[in-house]
Every structure is written in structure tokens, then in C-alpha cells.
Amino acid sequence: MPTPIPSPRIGIVGAGNIASLNVVGYLEDPRCEVVAVCDEFEDRAARAASAWGVPRSTTHVEDLLADPSIDALEILTPTHLHHDHVLAAVAAGKHVSCQKPLANSVDDARAMARAAEEAGVVLRVSECFRHYPPLETAKRLVAEGAIGRPTHLRLRTVVGQTESAFQAGLTTDGYVWRLNHQSPGGHLFDDMIHKYAVALWLLDQDVVSVQAVVRRRDAFFEPCAAVFEYEDPGLLGTMEVSYAPDMWIRSDYYGADEFFEVQGDEGFLWVTRCTGQLLDLPAVVLYQGGRGAQTTTSFPHVDDDWASGFRRASTHFVDALVEGSTPGMSAADAVKALQLCFAVYQAGTTRLPVDPRTVSGAVVPEGWPP
Ligand SMILES: NC(=O)c1ccc[n+]([C@@H]2O[C@H](COP(=O)([O-])OP(=O)(O)OC[C@H]3O[C@@H](n4cnc5c(N)ncnc54)[C@H](O)[C@@H]3O)[C@@H](O)[C@H]2O)c1
């Protein structure tokens, strides 16, 4: 167990597109202090520090590593840099929260987990979907038996367009490293990693076999349809991902949305939105179809703002630092999410079932990089 830190001092590494959503949870938390911001672009680091009221900015991560007063780092750099940044941070004795995906390969992620363990510091992956209140509510309801024994999980993602101020304000840097050789494979890697993490976390079971069809469209690899077999042979998962370039999606953030459906022996549970607000429906709907009394319940008071997942993920990290507890998502869970991702690519190429637990390294889809 890590030693509790009563007032953690946190440094931010990477002040790009997603940083502001991540940092809010720290800035609002009176228990911790954000003391420095690092970005390789001087003006970006300085602008972020000024906007967030943070006293110090730098272009060198080494400045943060060498500062003994900094307890923890939030790593928000491009994914291909996570490995080096996390290893440097844990070698400097810092606790680390790192944005998803933890790394570009299973082997790198395992090495990072090992290094953190040996250094005796926390390494957790900031996975906002696991802290999105409607999904947390769904997980709780399933665990409480609200739909009986789960038999099907469906994860649906659509990527389209939006006119949100957030989307309009994005710099284009993030579309370069995500879509070239610095990534092992585009959207099914970078964004679907959330859905792989949810597929494993929501029902608390490992996937033992994956089948998939993965098409390539534009710069993304989709449409994709995948079937997951879980440890419980009575439970199946399906994941569908599609790109709709001519569909505008109501959203305060990216032009995308997700829908989740869990069916059990006694009912259904739907989470009807996530990144976007495509549907005018309550975010969580429960159908309980027991003999004699069928009820449909919605949960109008559940906070359904996608940004809340980021805020709560940061609060959760501070909770762990202050209490000396172990925060989620663990590096071991992040490894499993990466394995599931690469199993989808491998099954999509070979058209044969793949046991994700056997996947190491990285699997790059045919034709990548585009
Ligand atoms: N949870 C989510 O929904 C979500 C959404 C978007 C991005 N992400 C993840 O967050 C990470 C960052 O994504 P982004 O979209 O903000 O990317 P980005 O490219 O917009 O931002 C990355 C920032 O890191 C900076 N940087 C690069 N090298 C650096 C270095 N050596 N030292 C210091 N700073 C450096 C860049 O200048 C840039 O400002 C990625 O891992 C991405 O997958 C997660």
C-alpha cells in the first residue's frame, strides 16, 4: 500500500487537447495542488499554467522529475511517449496517473507496470469511461442483480461530425500521431480502448475469445463488428464501431456517441449516451421483467456529462494519494484492455478466434499506417 500523502502536489505533463478536461478535477480539489505544467511548446505550457492559475511552467519534463516537492505526475502526452515518460517518472519516485492507452504495446505496458511496482509507486491509468456516472450506475445495478444473470453486453460506437466549441478548438497535432506510424492503428486503438476497458470492467469478467470483422474506411479502421466470449460461457459481448461522415451528432465534445446495452435473464439495462447527446433519452434505463411485475425505471438524477468521467477520474486519483489506497484503472487492467484491442485486430486479419490473454507485443492491422 502506498504511504498516504495528506496534500499531494501534482505536475501536469502535456497541455494538449485533452488536458483541460483532465485537470479540472485536480484544480477543483482542495486536497491537492497543481504546481507545474510541462509541454514541449513553451507558449502552450505558459498559456495552460496561466489559465489554470498554476505558478510554474516548463518545456522540460526533467524539471518536474528533479523537483522533490512534486509527489505525482499526470501524463497527458501522445500515447507513443507514455512509455518513456512513465518510466522516467517512476524512476524519479513519482506516483503516476497516465491517460489511456497506457502504451502502444502489451510488452511496454507490462514493463511500465513492473517498473512502478519495483519503485513502490502508484501507476494508474486515467480511464474516464470507468468514472462516467451512467456507466458506474449500470455496473452497480448489474452487480446488485437488477437484471438477473447477464447474458449479453452490446457496445455501440458511432463517429460522425459535430459543431461543438470543444471540437472547433482542437489543435491538429493529435490527428497526426494518432494516424501515422507512431500509433499501432487508428481509431480502433485510440478510442476503442475505452470500450475494451468497459467490456472488461462493467461485468467484471475476462474475455477468453474474440472474433472480428474489421474494415478500413478513410483514416479509420471501421466498420468493425466483434464478438467477445467471456469466462462465463453463458455471457457474450458484441462491439460495433462505425464512421458516419455525413452524420452530425449533438455533442459538447467530440462528434461521437456510444450506447451500451446489458441483457440479463430478468431484464435489460441501457446506457443511452456517453461522449455525445445524440438521443433525447434518460442516460440510464432499466427494464425489469420479472413474472407479475414488469417495470421500466430511468435515473434522471445521474450526472450524464461526459466531462464528469474525467473530473471523477482525477478526484479518484487524489482520493488514493490522500488515503494511501490503490486507484483504478490498474496497469494490469490496462494490459488486458490492450490485449483485447490487439485481439480484435488479429482476429480481423486472420478471421480466426483469438484468445486475448495470449496476445503480447502489438498487432497492427493490414495497410497501417495509411
Ligand atoms: N480519455 C479520453 O477520452 C481521451 C481523449 C483524448 C485523448 N486522450 C489521450 O490523452 C493523451 C493526449 O491526447 P491529446 O488528444 O491531448 O493529444 P495532443 O497531441 O493534443 O496533446 C499532447 C500534448 O503533449 C505535448 N508533448 C509532446 N511531447 C512532449 C514532451 N516530450 N514533453 C512535454 N509535452 C509534450 C504536446 O505538445 C501536446 O501539447 C493520449 O494518450 C490520448 O490517447 C484521452
Side-chain angles (χ1 to χ4, degrees):
M1 280 294 220
T3 311
I5 305 169
S7 307
R9 290 167 59 83
I10 297 173
I12 308 295
V13 186
N17 287 327
I18 210 61
S20 53
L21 289 184
N22 270 260
V23 167
V24 173
Y26 297 126
L27 297 177
E28 288 178 352
D29 197 324
R31 297 170 301 170
C32 69
E33 195 182 348
V34 178
V35 293
V37 181
C38 169
D39 197 284
E40 63 173 353
F41 292 111
E42 194 173 353
D43 58 332
R44 201 174 285 182
R47 244 193 342 264
S50 158
W52 301 337
V54 173
R56 192 168 138 214
S57 66
T58 175
T59 54
H60 298 291
V61 69
E62 293 76 16
D63 292 345
L64 274 55
L65 301 176
D67 180 344
S69 79
I70 293 181
D71 302 298
L73 295 180
E74 174 82 12
I75 306 287
L76 304 174
T77 49
T79 304
H80 59 279
L81 300 177
H82 289 178
H83 174 260
D84 289 359
H85 283 148
V86 168
L87 288 187
V90 302
K94 310 297 184 198
H95 299 296
V96 177
S97 167
C98 179
Q99 255 296 342
K100 60 73 267 176
L102 178 55
N104 269 356
S105 84
V106 172
D107 295 348
D108 280 359
R110 284 188 169 137
M112 294 151 80
R114 247 190 337 267
E117 205 176 324
E118 284 166 15
V121 296
V122 167
L123 167 59
R124 77 89 187 230
V125 176
S126 182
E127 172 46 77
C128 59
F129 278 53
R130 283 182 43 155
H131 297 274
Y132 182 55
L135 286 170
E136 288 179 321
T137 303
K139 181 175 170 65
R140 177 178 56 76
L141 288 167
V142 172
E144 287 171 359
I147 57 167
R149 179 184 168 188
T151 52
H152 277 87
L153 168 65
R154 183 177 180 205
L155 311 113
R156 185 84 175 82
T157 301
V158 58
V159 181
Q161 311 292 340
T162 194
E163 285 171 341
S164 73
F166 174 87
Q167 179 78 41
L170 296 178
T171 64
T172 51
D173 314 13
Y175 293 101
V176 176
W177 59 261
R178 275 177 175 85
L179 298 175
N180 70 14
H181 65 280
Q182 291 169 303
S183 165
H187 189 244
L188 282 187
F189 175 70
D190 181 74
D191 182 25
M192 279 321 104
I193 198 79
H194 293 297
K195 322 310 154 59
Y196 303 127
V198 170
L200 295 165
W201 161 82
L202 193 59
L203 305 176
D204 225 356
Q205 280 199 46
D206 284 350
V207 171
V208 299
S209 179
V210 171
Q211 298 178 56
V213 178
V214 180
R215 305 270 192 237
R216 177 176 165 184
R217 175 155 185 192
D218 300 338
F220 299 99
F221 274 84
E222 56 207 18
C224 162
V227 177
F228 303 148
E229 292 178 61
Y230 283 86
E231 291 167 290
D232 174 356
L235 173 64
L236 290 179
T238 54
M239 183 187 82
E240 301 144 76
V241 189
S242 55
Y243 180 41
D246 298 323
M247 188 194 295
W248 264 254
I249 295 175
R250 187 167 37 148
S251 174
D252 290 332
Y253 308 102
Y254 297 103
D257 214 348
E258 294 86 4
F259 316 103
F260 304 86
E261 177 184 283
V262 193
Q263 195 213 311
D265 283 343
E266 298 168 26
F268 268 111
L269 190 51
W270 293 275
V271 172
T272 64
R273 59 156 294 183
C274 194
T275 306
Q277 305 161 52
L278 195 143
L279 301 173
D280 281 318
L281 288 174
V284 184
V285 180
L286 169 67
Y287 172 73
Q288 292 177 294
R291 183 193 291 265
Q294 296 82 41
T295 56
T296 303
T297 312
S298 58
F299 298 80
H301 301 302
V302 173
D303 173 5
D304 61 5
D305 181 0
W306 185 61
S308 296
F310 289 89
R311 187 181 289 110
R312 293 167 59 77
S314 297
T315 305
H316 177 66
F317 186 53
V318 178
D319 289 343
L321 293 176
V322 169
E323 291 162 8
S325 57
T326 306
M329 166 164 90
S330 70
D333 285 347
V335 166
K336 285 182 187 173
L338 281 172
Q339 288 177 307
L340 191 48
C341 171
F342 293 133
V344 167
Y345 274 145
Q346 191 171 319
T349 302
T350 62
R351 294 301 183 87
L352 296 170
V354 175
D355 181 342
R357 298 166 301 179
T358 65
V359 174
S360 56
V363 179
V364 175
E366 269 177 33
W368 186 266

